[in-house]
Amino acid sequence: MEWGKFITVEGIEGVGKSTNIDTLVERIEAAGHKVLTTREPGGTPFAEDIREILMNRSDEPVPEIAELLLMFAARSFNVNNVIVPALEAGTWVVCDRFTDSTRAYQGGGRGLPMETIDRVADWVHGDTWPDLTILLDAPVEVGMERAGNRSKPDRFEQERHEFFQRVRECYLQIAASEPDRFVVIDTTRTIDEVREQMSALADLLIGA
Ligand code: TMP
């Protein structure tokens, strides 16, 4: 049985991950592939509990290294219990965030060393890396404005503009350093233009 393809979607808050994931999934399913969508942190009951703690507990300072390890603890559940079994069964997996989020937020945003992050990543998921990563990009002001219209901000959304600026820059650097795996989409373009680009990407993946 041929393994499914593993696709991840990345970007700062407010760049439109959910809508664009829907477009991508619809197109891949229409071509006859089974698709599983998941998200990080989260994706399994245990990992969703870790997500709840990571996003919403604010009664105690969270050391950066604890944040990093909890992200990877959640990822270990998702990789072992959801992602790899699906890929093995030939199902395609579209994951809303993965280790590039850890590189951008805990590395770029919080300043943890990239070598440490990559060493833990290797330990947690070895060769399980996405076949394709779509980076949805927009200036921080644009993302913040869109995200700001939603409900109560979580622990990450409460960060300052400079934090997200570092996260965005780090994402763009990672994308530039791995051009074979990354596609960057400018989400300041019209909704229709972005949808077109997502559909074109899906067509490339399915070989249409
Ligand atoms: P979201 O999936 O709803 O966008 O929220 C997840 C938040 O968690 C977002 O602010 C990014 C952050 N995050 C990290 O800091 N590191 C990670 O490894 C992951 C997966 C998410």
Side-chain angles (χ1 to χ4, degrees):
M1 158 81 71
E2 198 184 329
W3 276 49
K5 285 199 167 52
F6 181 26
I7 302 149
T8 58
V9 180
E10 296 281 355
I12 57 168
E13 338 322 80
V15 287
K17 283 187 290 114
S18 313
T19 318
N20 286 302
I21 286 175
D22 289 346
T23 307
L24 191 70
V25 171
E26 264 172 38
R27 194 85 168 198
I28 301 170
E29 280 179 340
H33 295 284
K34 212 170 148 201
V35 185
L36 181 144
T37 51
T38 181
R39 68 170 180 182
E40 296 210 344
T44 85
F46 208 125
E48 287 290 331
D49 282 355
I50 298 176
R51 177 189 178 94
E52 180 58 32
I53 295 170
L54 270 168
M55 309 284 282
N56 296 321
R57 277 257 348 214
S58 54
D59 53 348
E60 189 179 333
V62 181
E64 284 145 8
I65 197 80
E67 187 176 272
L68 175 82
L69 293 172
L70 283 167
M71 289 294 176
F72 274 113
R75 182 158 304 130
S76 177
F77 283 96
N78 203 22
V79 167
N80 285 287
N81 299 348
V82 173
I83 297 174
V84 169
L87 294 173
E88 263 174 355
T91 301
W92 290 36
V93 175
V94 176
C95 192
D96 181 342
R97 300 190 179 282
F98 194 64
T99 293
D100 296 304
S101 277
T102 318
R103 288 165 153 180
Y105 284 76
Q106 281 66 52
R110 304 271 191 237
L112 290 176
M114 218 49 94
E115 308 80 65
T116 308
I117 297 172
D118 284 349
R119 220 174 313 138
V120 184
D122 190 42
W123 193 38
V124 170
H125 56 86
D127 289 341
T128 306
W129 277 94
D131 298 296
L132 172 75
T133 299
I134 302 167
L135 173 59
L136 300 173
D137 181 59
V140 175
E141 306 74 61
V142 176
M144 290 297 106
E145 201 188 310
R146 290 187 195 152
N149 297 330
R150 296 188 205 142
S151 53
K152 186 172 160 274
D154 61 42
R155 205 171 54 79
F156 290 95
E157 288 164 348
Q158 288 166 17
E159 286 295 337
R160 296 167 179 279
H161 184 281
E162 295 78 31
F163 174 85
F164 292 106
Q165 195 61 48
R166 291 196 299 276
V167 172
R168 180 188 182 209
E169 276 161 19
C170 187
Y171 264 138
L172 290 169
Q173 274 172 17
I174 303 167
S177 71
E178 293 186 59
D180 292 345
R181 177 165 66 91
F182 272 88
V183 173
V184 182
I185 294 186
D186 173 3
T187 61
T188 59
R189 307 177 80 163
T190 66
I191 293 175
D192 283 345
E193 280 173 331
V194 175
R195 193 181 300 126
E196 281 278 300
Q197 288 197 27
M198 291 300 284
S199 302
L201 259 181
D203 287 348
L204 260 181
L205 282 166
I206 56 196

PDB file of all heavy atoms in Angstrom, residues 13 17 40-41 51 55 71 75 97-98 101-102 105-106 156, ligand 1:
ATOM      1  N   GLU A  13      -1.181  33.958  13.574  1.00  0.00           N
ATOM      2  CA  GLU A  13      -2.626  34.043  13.777  1.00  0.00           C
ATOM      3  C   GLU A  13      -3.246  35.001  12.741  1.00  0.00           C
ATOM      4  O   GLU A  13      -2.650  36.004  12.363  1.00  0.00           O
ATOM      5  CB  GLU A  13      -3.056  34.553  15.159  1.00  0.00           C
ATOM      6  CG  GLU A  13      -2.205  34.508  16.377  1.00  0.00           C
ATOM      7  CD  GLU A  13      -1.314  33.350  16.636  1.00  0.00           C
ATOM      8  OE1 GLU A  13      -0.229  33.341  16.020  1.00  0.00           O
ATOM      9  OE2 GLU A  13      -1.624  32.497  17.455  1.00  0.00           O
ATOM     10  N   LYS A  17      -5.796  30.076   8.092  1.00  0.00           N
ATOM     11  CA  LYS A  17      -5.460  28.649   7.948  1.00  0.00           C
ATOM     12  C   LYS A  17      -6.701  27.782   7.726  1.00  0.00           C
ATOM     13  O   LYS A  17      -6.720  26.954   6.825  1.00  0.00           O
ATOM     14  CB  LYS A  17      -4.685  28.146   9.170  1.00  0.00           C
ATOM     15  CG  LYS A  17      -3.232  28.567   9.164  1.00  0.00           C
ATOM     16  CD  LYS A  17      -2.445  27.922  10.298  1.00  0.00           C
ATOM     17  CE  LYS A  17      -2.822  28.466  11.651  1.00  0.00           C
ATOM     18  NZ  LYS A  17      -3.464  27.558  12.576  1.00  0.00           N
ATOM     19  N   GLU A  40      -2.266  20.919  15.604  1.00  0.00           N
ATOM     20  CA  GLU A  40      -1.326  20.893  16.723  1.00  0.00           C
ATOM     21  C   GLU A  40      -1.253  22.262  17.384  1.00  0.00           C
ATOM     22  O   GLU A  40      -1.348  23.268  16.681  1.00  0.00           O
ATOM     23  CB  GLU A  40       0.058  20.492  16.225  1.00  0.00           C
ATOM     24  CG  GLU A  40       0.051  19.086  15.665  1.00  0.00           C
ATOM     25  CD  GLU A  40       1.363  18.354  15.817  1.00  0.00           C
ATOM     26  OE1 GLU A  40       2.384  19.010  16.086  1.00  0.00           O
ATOM     27  OE2 GLU A  40       1.365  17.137  15.672  1.00  0.00           O
ATOM     28  N   PRO A  41      -1.049  22.380  18.702  1.00  0.00           N
ATOM     29  CA  PRO A  41      -1.062  21.207  19.574  1.00  0.00           C
ATOM     30  C   PRO A  41      -2.473  20.625  19.608  1.00  0.00           C
ATOM     31  O   PRO A  41      -3.443  21.366  19.599  1.00  0.00           O
ATOM     32  CB  PRO A  41      -0.635  21.781  20.935  1.00  0.00           C
ATOM     33  CG  PRO A  41      -0.979  23.243  20.888  1.00  0.00           C
ATOM     34  CD  PRO A  41      -0.860  23.646  19.456  1.00  0.00           C
ATOM     35  N   ARG A  51      -3.199  20.792  24.868  1.00  0.00           N
ATOM     36  CA  ARG A  51      -3.481  22.066  24.191  1.00  0.00           C
ATOM     37  C   ARG A  51      -4.221  23.026  25.123  1.00  0.00           C
ATOM     38  O   ARG A  51      -3.869  24.204  25.227  1.00  0.00           O
ATOM     39  CB  ARG A  51      -4.339  21.815  22.944  1.00  0.00           C
ATOM     40  CG  ARG A  51      -4.743  23.103  22.228  1.00  0.00           C
ATOM     41  CD  ARG A  51      -5.760  22.845  21.131  1.00  0.00           C
ATOM     42  NE  ARG A  51      -6.159  24.074  20.504  1.00  0.00           N
ATOM     43  CZ  ARG A  51      -5.599  24.582  19.402  1.00  0.00           C
ATOM     44  NH1 ARG A  51      -4.622  23.961  18.806  1.00  0.00           N
ATOM     45  NH2 ARG A  51      -6.016  25.727  18.909  1.00  0.00           N
ATOM     46  N   MET A  55      -2.738  26.650  26.023  1.00  0.00           N
ATOM     47  CA  MET A  55      -3.369  27.850  25.482  1.00  0.00           C
ATOM     48  C   MET A  55      -3.993  28.717  26.574  1.00  0.00           C
ATOM     49  O   MET A  55      -4.032  29.926  26.444  1.00  0.00           O
ATOM     50  CB  MET A  55      -4.474  27.486  24.480  1.00  0.00           C
ATOM     51  CG  MET A  55      -4.065  26.518  23.407  1.00  0.00           C
ATOM     52  SD  MET A  55      -3.084  27.217  22.128  1.00  0.00           S
ATOM     53  CE  MET A  55      -4.320  28.030  21.187  1.00  0.00           C
ATOM     54  N   MET A  71       4.709  21.126  23.826  1.00  0.00           N
ATOM     55  CA  MET A  71       4.360  21.097  22.396  1.00  0.00           C
ATOM     56  C   MET A  71       4.795  19.760  21.797  1.00  0.00           C
ATOM     57  O   MET A  71       4.049  19.131  21.052  1.00  0.00           O
ATOM     58  CB  MET A  71       5.069  22.227  21.626  1.00  0.00           C
ATOM     59  CG  MET A  71       4.550  23.615  21.924  1.00  0.00           C
ATOM     60  SD  MET A  71       2.847  23.820  21.342  1.00  0.00           S
ATOM     61  CE  MET A  71       2.497  25.478  21.957  1.00  0.00           C
ATOM     62  N   ARG A  75       2.739  16.575  20.320  1.00  0.00           N
ATOM     63  CA  ARG A  75       3.072  16.111  18.959  1.00  0.00           C
ATOM     64  C   ARG A  75       3.345  14.607  18.946  1.00  0.00           C
ATOM     65  O   ARG A  75       2.970  13.915  17.999  1.00  0.00           O
ATOM     66  CB  ARG A  75       4.295  16.889  18.452  1.00  0.00           C
ATOM     67  CG  ARG A  75       4.707  16.526  17.035  1.00  0.00           C
ATOM     68  CD  ARG A  75       5.528  17.649  16.421  1.00  0.00           C
ATOM     69  NE  ARG A  75       4.784  18.889  16.481  1.00  0.00           N
ATOM     70  CZ  ARG A  75       5.267  20.045  16.946  1.00  0.00           C
ATOM     71  NH1 ARG A  75       6.518  20.136  17.331  1.00  0.00           N
ATOM     72  NH2 ARG A  75       4.501  21.122  17.007  1.00  0.00           N
ATOM     73  N   ARG A  97      -0.555  23.176  11.522  1.00  0.00           N
ATOM     74  CA  ARG A  97       0.670  23.386  12.314  1.00  0.00           C
ATOM     75  C   ARG A  97       1.394  22.067  12.591  1.00  0.00           C
ATOM     76  O   ARG A  97       0.778  21.021  12.780  1.00  0.00           O
ATOM     77  CB  ARG A  97       0.406  24.075  13.663  1.00  0.00           C
ATOM     78  CG  ARG A  97      -0.229  25.448  13.546  1.00  0.00           C
ATOM     79  CD  ARG A  97      -0.224  26.137  14.919  1.00  0.00           C
ATOM     80  NE  ARG A  97      -0.815  27.467  14.848  1.00  0.00           N
ATOM     81  CZ  ARG A  97      -0.190  28.540  14.371  1.00  0.00           C
ATOM     82  NH1 ARG A  97       1.049  28.449  13.956  1.00  0.00           N
ATOM     83  NH2 ARG A  97      -0.796  29.710  14.338  1.00  0.00           N
ATOM     84  N   PHE A  98       2.727  22.179  12.676  1.00  0.00           N
ATOM     85  CA  PHE A  98       3.577  21.039  13.041  1.00  0.00           C
ATOM     86  C   PHE A  98       4.882  21.626  13.586  1.00  0.00           C
ATOM     87  O   PHE A  98       4.887  22.743  14.111  1.00  0.00           O
ATOM     88  CB  PHE A  98       3.766  20.116  11.805  1.00  0.00           C
ATOM     89  CG  PHE A  98       4.322  18.756  12.109  1.00  0.00           C
ATOM     90  CD1 PHE A  98       3.622  17.849  12.896  1.00  0.00           C
ATOM     91  CD2 PHE A  98       5.550  18.354  11.578  1.00  0.00           C
ATOM     92  CE1 PHE A  98       4.144  16.582  13.167  1.00  0.00           C
ATOM     93  CE2 PHE A  98       6.073  17.093  11.841  1.00  0.00           C
ATOM     94  CZ  PHE A  98       5.372  16.208  12.628  1.00  0.00           C
ATOM     95  N   SER A 101       5.966  25.259  13.435  1.00  0.00           N
ATOM     96  CA  SER A 101       5.392  26.201  14.412  1.00  0.00           C
ATOM     97  C   SER A 101       6.304  26.292  15.629  1.00  0.00           C
ATOM     98  O   SER A 101       6.512  27.373  16.185  1.00  0.00           O
ATOM     99  CB  SER A 101       4.013  25.722  14.896  1.00  0.00           C
ATOM    100  OG  SER A 101       2.993  26.090  14.016  1.00  0.00           O
ATOM    101  N   THR A 102       6.840  25.155  16.048  1.00  0.00           N
ATOM    102  CA  THR A 102       7.729  25.169  17.226  1.00  0.00           C
ATOM    103  C   THR A 102       9.000  25.957  16.905  1.00  0.00           C
ATOM    104  O   THR A 102       9.496  26.735  17.721  1.00  0.00           O
ATOM    105  CB  THR A 102       8.093  23.725  17.642  1.00  0.00           C
ATOM    106  OG1 THR A 102       6.925  22.919  17.562  1.00  0.00           O
ATOM    107  CG2 THR A 102       8.655  23.697  19.039  1.00  0.00           C
ATOM    108  N   TYR A 105       7.690  29.752  16.719  1.00  0.00           N
ATOM    109  CA  TYR A 105       7.199  30.373  17.970  1.00  0.00           C
ATOM    110  C   TYR A 105       8.189  30.207  19.125  1.00  0.00           C
ATOM    111  O   TYR A 105       8.529  31.171  19.791  1.00  0.00           O
ATOM    112  CB  TYR A 105       5.833  29.794  18.371  1.00  0.00           C
ATOM    113  CG  TYR A 105       4.682  30.327  17.545  1.00  0.00           C
ATOM    114  CD1 TYR A 105       4.465  29.876  16.242  1.00  0.00           C
ATOM    115  CD2 TYR A 105       3.815  31.289  18.041  1.00  0.00           C
ATOM    116  CE1 TYR A 105       3.417  30.354  15.477  1.00  0.00           C
ATOM    117  CE2 TYR A 105       2.753  31.787  17.279  1.00  0.00           C
ATOM    118  CZ  TYR A 105       2.561  31.318  16.003  1.00  0.00           C
ATOM    119  OH  TYR A 105       1.531  31.802  15.237  1.00  0.00           O
ATOM    120  N   GLN A 106       8.621  28.943  19.383  1.00  0.00           N
ATOM    121  CA  GLN A 106       9.531  28.751  20.522  1.00  0.00           C
ATOM    122  C   GLN A 106      10.951  29.152  20.134  1.00  0.00           C
ATOM    123  O   GLN A 106      11.712  29.614  20.979  1.00  0.00           O
ATOM    124  CB  GLN A 106       9.491  27.293  21.013  1.00  0.00           C
ATOM    125  CG  GLN A 106       8.293  26.955  21.896  1.00  0.00           C
ATOM    126  CD  GLN A 106       6.951  27.034  21.166  1.00  0.00           C
ATOM    127  OE1 GLN A 106       6.777  26.443  20.105  1.00  0.00           O
ATOM    128  NE2 GLN A 106       6.019  27.791  21.719  1.00  0.00           N
ATOM    129  N   PHE A 156      -1.162  32.771  23.707  1.00  0.00           N
ATOM    130  CA  PHE A 156      -0.268  33.200  22.633  1.00  0.00           C
ATOM    131  C   PHE A 156      -0.748  34.515  22.012  1.00  0.00           C
ATOM    132  O   PHE A 156       0.042  35.401  21.723  1.00  0.00           O
ATOM    133  CB  PHE A 156      -0.148  32.110  21.569  1.00  0.00           C
ATOM    134  CG  PHE A 156       0.607  30.914  22.060  1.00  0.00           C
ATOM    135  CD1 PHE A 156      -0.055  29.811  22.576  1.00  0.00           C
ATOM    136  CD2 PHE A 156       1.995  30.902  22.042  1.00  0.00           C
ATOM    137  CE1 PHE A 156       0.643  28.711  23.058  1.00  0.00           C
ATOM    138  CE2 PHE A 156       2.707  29.815  22.515  1.00  0.00           C
ATOM    139  CZ  PHE A 156       2.030  28.715  23.024  1.00  0.00           C
TER     140      PHE A 156
HETATM  141  P1  TMP B   1      -3.968  27.792  16.578  1.00  0.00           P
HETATM  142  O1  TMP B   1      -3.640  26.416  16.123  1.00  0.00           O
HETATM  143  O2  TMP B   1      -5.376  27.939  16.953  1.00  0.00           O
HETATM  144  O3  TMP B   1      -3.484  28.823  15.628  1.00  0.00           O
HETATM  145  O4  TMP B   1      -3.203  28.057  17.951  1.00  0.00           O
HETATM  146  C1  TMP B   1      -2.106  27.391  18.357  1.00  0.00           C
HETATM  147  C2  TMP B   1      -1.156  28.340  19.067  1.00  0.00           C
HETATM  148  O5  TMP B   1      -0.062  27.592  19.583  1.00  0.00           O
HETATM  149  C3  TMP B   1      -0.594  29.396  18.142  1.00  0.00           C
HETATM  150  O6  TMP B   1      -0.494  30.615  18.847  1.00  0.00           O
HETATM  151  C4  TMP B   1       0.798  28.890  17.859  1.00  0.00           C
HETATM  152  C5  TMP B   1       1.163  28.110  19.087  1.00  0.00           C
HETATM  153  N1  TMP B   1       2.084  26.999  18.847  1.00  0.00           N
HETATM  154  C6  TMP B   1       3.382  27.083  19.306  1.00  0.00           C
HETATM  155  O7  TMP B   1       3.755  28.072  19.917  1.00  0.00           O
HETATM  156  N2  TMP B   1       4.239  26.056  19.058  1.00  0.00           N
HETATM  157  C7  TMP B   1       3.860  24.907  18.400  1.00  0.00           C
HETATM  158  O8  TMP B   1       4.662  23.985  18.221  1.00  0.00           O
HETATM  159  C8  TMP B   1       2.494  24.829  17.940  1.00  0.00           C
HETATM  160  C9  TMP B   1       2.033  23.598  17.211  1.00  0.00           C
HETATM  161  C10 TMP B   1       1.646  25.888  18.173  1.00  0.00           C
END
